[in-house]
Amino acid sequence: MRLLIMGPPGAGKGTQAKGIAERYGIPAISTGDIFRANVKNKTPLGLEVDRIMKSGGYVGDDITNQIVADRLAEGDAANGFLLDGYPRTLAQVEALDSVLEGLGQSLDAVICLEADTDEVVARLAKRAEIEGRADDTEEAIRVRQETYVKETAPLLDVYAKRGQLVRVNGLGSVDEVGQRIASALDERG
């Protein structure tokens, strides 16, 4: 299974990605996790990413595309993967298409978790409090929501036209949403 999981920040992508990866025996690849590890380790990439994330912005395509291409070339992704947090722009869709073509692969489905903006802002504010995430101030959260609507939501149209989009209600318990995703993917075959 080669999958993407999309949806607004705070819709539960990371939580659901773990269950999906386990169900299909594929790695869940989160660009956010890769970036946060670099920030924590204060790498040159991490310092740049930290500055961008604290302002509520997204890391540029050139950096992100290379990180994803390198990760998809690793052995554990040869038989499938779940990308979480990528692609976020049309240029990243094109870069991913190119990487997959070079690997002789294609996407099986794109899962879109749908959730109300105020609900996800509340989720992220609570997560920031619990986990001490400096990048999750309410202002930064709202900037990321607006950026998602402007830049990332149009990608859903691309995947819908390709017949790859699977829309799932992202509100409810972790198990309820996970079951909706499993049922929707099973329906696709």
Side-chain angles (χ1 to χ4, degrees), residues 20-39:
I20 295 165
E22 191 174 295
R23 185 177 304 116
Y24 294 105
I26 56 176
I29 302 169
S30 164
T31 52
D33 288 349
I34 293 169
F35 292 148
R36 278 187 283 281
N38 277 277
V39 169

Side-chain angles (χ1 to χ4, degrees), residues 9-185:
K13 297 180 301 292
T15 300
Q16 291 301 326
K18 291 175 185 136
I20 295 165
E22 191 174 295
R23 185 177 304 116
Y24 294 105
I26 56 176
I29 302 169
S30 164
T31 52
D33 288 349
I34 293 169
F35 292 148
R36 278 187 283 281
N38 277 277
V39 169
K40 182 180 179 183
N41 295 325
K42 297 187 186 322
T43 67
L45 171 64
L47 296 174
E48 178 65 12
V49 167
D50 189 45
R51 183 189 62 75
I52 294 166
M53 286 174 32
K54 281 184 178 170
S55 72
Y58 285 129
V59 177
D61 288 350
D62 53 343
I63 295 170
T64 308
N65 291 339
Q66 190 57 54
I67 285 172
V68 171
D70 291 348
R71 181 62 183 90
L72 292 181
E74 291 181 23
D76 68 336
N79 294 318
F81 55 81
L82 172 68
L83 282 174
D84 168 12
Y86 181 91
R88 285 191 168 149
T89 65
L90 289 171
Q92 289 179 0
V93 169
E94 291 171 9
L96 178 60
D97 287 346
S98 179
V99 167
L100 291 176
E101 186 178 318
L103 294 170
Q105 301 174 353
S106 62
L107 291 174
D108 293 304
V110 177
I111 302 158
C112 176
L113 293 182
E114 298 180 326
D116 176 73
T117 299
D118 290 334
E119 177 75 24
V120 294
V121 169
R123 278 187 191 179
L124 288 174
K126 184 176 181 179
R127 181 179 77 183
E129 192 177 305
I130 293 168
E131 297 181 11
R133 289 189 177 194
D135 62 318
D136 278 348
T137 64
E138 184 168 346
E139 182 180 340
I141 291 167
R142 292 210 179 265
V143 168
R144 285 198 300 274
Q145 297 295 323
E146 290 169 15
T147 302
Y148 171 78
V149 169
K150 282 188 273 184
E151 295 181 8
T152 308
L155 306 185
L156 300 176
D157 292 336
V158 170
Y159 291 118
K161 286 177 185 164
R162 293 180 183 180
Q164 296 172 313
L165 190 63
V166 177
R167 294 181 185 271
V168 176
N169 178 352
L171 297 178
S173 73
V174 172
D175 290 340
E176 288 169 341
V177 176
Q179 187 55 52
R180 285 184 210 131
I181 292 169
S183 295
L185 290 175

